[in-house]
Amino acid sequence: MSLLTTTVGSFPKPPYLTKARAQHARGDLTHDQLRPLEERATKEWIAFQEDLRIDILVDGEQYRGDMATYFAENLDGCEVSGLVRSYGNRYYKKPVVVGELARPGAITVDWWRWTRGLTEKPLKGMLTGPYTMMDWSFDEHYGSREELALAFAKVLHQEARDLERAGAKVIQVDEPALSARTDELDLVVKALGVVTRGLSAKTITHTCYGNYDRVFPYFNKLPVDQIDLEMSNSGLDLLGRFRREPLKKEIAFGVIDVHTHVVETEAQVRERIERALETFEPAQLYIDPDCGLKTRTVEEAQAKLRVMVAATRATKDARGLE
Ligand SMILES: [Zn+2]
């Protein structure tokens, strides 16, 4: 098996679901009325991935809002702030840690199990990593970034164990904040190690937006089986460094830029895959988009994924790869 295809996690929500979520936020729609629409959107995304014959599926996170507040809402000791201004006129909500963190029950397992019932293909379990949860939260309780990251790690480990018990063979722990403070990379490794300790599932960390140059020496130290990297948005500029300092684990290599409306051509994506194959072994190399696709429209995301899969298939055929 080589050049397996997958995606990073989130897919865009169809307009009927975006509308229903807004109604729910205003109190005009109950949770019980929202859920069937989340299920419908999830079913549609699973069917799309199966039709394309993507190898490792995701549920598309149709029931999640923000990747950090989704977990915050489901933990004891954690609340969610009102809208906070980030930059320009963008507002978002932040987790607020007000007490000792604890997990009253499984957070993602119910959706994972429900979605698993729709497909025979491997389905990723998806967690937001402890370092990112810490970095994106207001801390009113722990008073130490390390203690807070490790407290998140402890509850996320419980969640990972529950996913594994439910049957998840692949568990992804997203750390988009990985390179937020390059003096804390040892803490990233330590906290991630708490989450993945003792798991038999394949573990993945996705990261993006980073100063990868400073992070690079840590890729081999991250306690996961696979790293999932944004590569295309930066023009594949890390490839040279990977050739000099080989990666001793699997890589999911982003061949689709998620920040642009423009749909890549098959030839463009094929060239990116060919360049990746100059550095990585086919069995070590997974093909996916740079990041989650939730910021694109459904049509853009689907068009981009079609090109990704077609380019991967063409590369495999040309090289006689299974
Ligand atoms: Zn990302």
Side-chain angles (χ1 to χ4, degrees):
M1 297 287 270
S2 58
L3 301 189
L4 294 180
T5 51
T6 187
T7 62
V8 177
S10 69
F11 289 140
K13 295 179 178 72
Y16 63 79
L17 182 54
T18 308
K19 190 174 151 213
R21 286 175 61 87
Q23 289 172 325
H24 177 63
R26 289 197 303 268
D28 295 341
L29 200 72
T30 66
H31 179 261
D32 286 349
Q33 290 169 310
L34 181 62
R35 170 98 189 190
L37 298 173
E38 294 169 336
E39 291 181 354
R40 177 179 152 197
T42 306
K43 262 187 201 160
E44 288 167 357
W45 277 116
I46 290 292
F48 176 80
Q49 293 170 87
E50 290 211 315
D51 286 350
L52 264 190
R53 291 194 279 152
I54 287 178
D55 296 300
I56 300 163
L57 309 196
V58 297
D59 69 14
E61 302 177 12
Q62 301 297 294
Y63 52 91
R64 298 189 193 185
D66 175 85
M67 63 186 285
T69 52
Y70 175 72
F71 285 89
E73 281 162 357
N74 288 289
L75 289 172
D76 287 345
C78 211
E79 294 170 359
V80 174
S81 76
L83 289 171
V84 176
R85 191 167 184 165
S86 58
Y87 50 89
N89 279 321
R90 285 185 64 98
Y91 290 82
Y92 64 105
K93 292 179 178 183
K94 271 180 93 153
V96 187
V97 177
V98 295
E100 192 168 332
L101 291 176
R103 198 187 59 133
I107 301 168
T108 64
V109 177
D110 170 49
W111 267 109
W112 186 89
R113 203 180 266 126
W114 186 86
T115 311
R116 180 67 183 82
L118 304 173
T119 179
E120 294 300 313
K121 296 259 182 119
L123 178 71
K124 285 182 184 179
M126 302 292 305
L127 304 175
T128 301
Y131 183 81
T132 297
M133 287 299 301
M134 176 278 288
D135 191 57
W136 292 0
S137 296
F138 292 120
D139 177 19
E140 296 179 355
H141 178 75
Y142 287 90
S144 142
R145 286 170 65 85
E146 171 154 0
E147 268 185 56
L148 179 55
L150 295 176
F152 273 120
K154 196 171 139 193
V155 291
L156 289 165
H157 175 67
Q158 295 164 1
E159 184 71 14
R161 291 294 293 265
D162 281 352
L163 279 168
E164 195 170 84
R165 269 187 216 116
K169 300 275 192 290
V170 185
I171 296 175
Q172 182 172 313
V173 188
D174 289 326
E175 289 286 16
L178 180 81
S179 60
R181 292 190 19 189
T182 46
D183 59 330
E184 287 184 331
L185 286 161
D186 288 320
L187 174 57
V188 176
V189 171
K190 190 172 171 184
L192 211 45
V194 171
V195 179
T196 60
R197 185 183 302 148
L199 297 180
S200 55
K202 184 197 289 283
T203 52
I204 304 172
T205 287
H206 163 72
T207 187
C208 47
Y209 328 112
N211 177 355
Y212 284 166
D213 208 43
R214 298 283 296 279
V215 175
F216 195 93
Y218 282 83
F219 286 153
N220 274 325
K221 293 186 195 173
L222 293 173
V224 289
D225 304 308
Q226 179 181 116
I227 54 169
D228 181 326
L229 292 182
E230 179 184 71
M231 295 295 289
S232 291
N233 188 247
S234 53
L236 317 187
D237 60 0
L238 271 185
L239 272 174
R241 185 131 183 218
F242 274 122
R243 254 194 308 283
R244 295 194 298 279
E245 299 166 60
L247 184 70
K248 299 186 189 87
K249 56 185 76 190
E250 295 175 346
I251 182 168
F253 190 98
V255 297
I256 295 291
D257 188 344
V258 303
H259 298 293
T260 165
H261 298 279
V262 179
V263 178
E264 288 84 348
T265 65
E266 188 179 316
Q268 258 176 327
V269 176
R270 228 184 122 173
E271 203 226 317
R272 290 171 184 167
I273 299 171
E274 290 289 352
R275 288 198 46 208
L277 280 165
E278 292 168 5
T279 300
F280 301 105
E281 295 299 322
Q284 175 190 23
L285 183 61
Y286 289 64
I287 302 298
D288 71 353
D290 271 358
C291 190
L293 284 158
K294 71 175 177 186
T295 55
R296 301 271 59 87
T297 65
V298 170
E299 291 72 23
E300 285 165 357
Q302 294 189 343
K304 281 173 175 274
L305 291 172
R306 277 192 199 98
V307 170
M308 180 186 91
V309 171
T312 306
R313 196 159 295 141
T315 309
K316 288 172 78 160
D317 287 349
R319 288 175 166 252
L321 294 169
E322 284 296 311

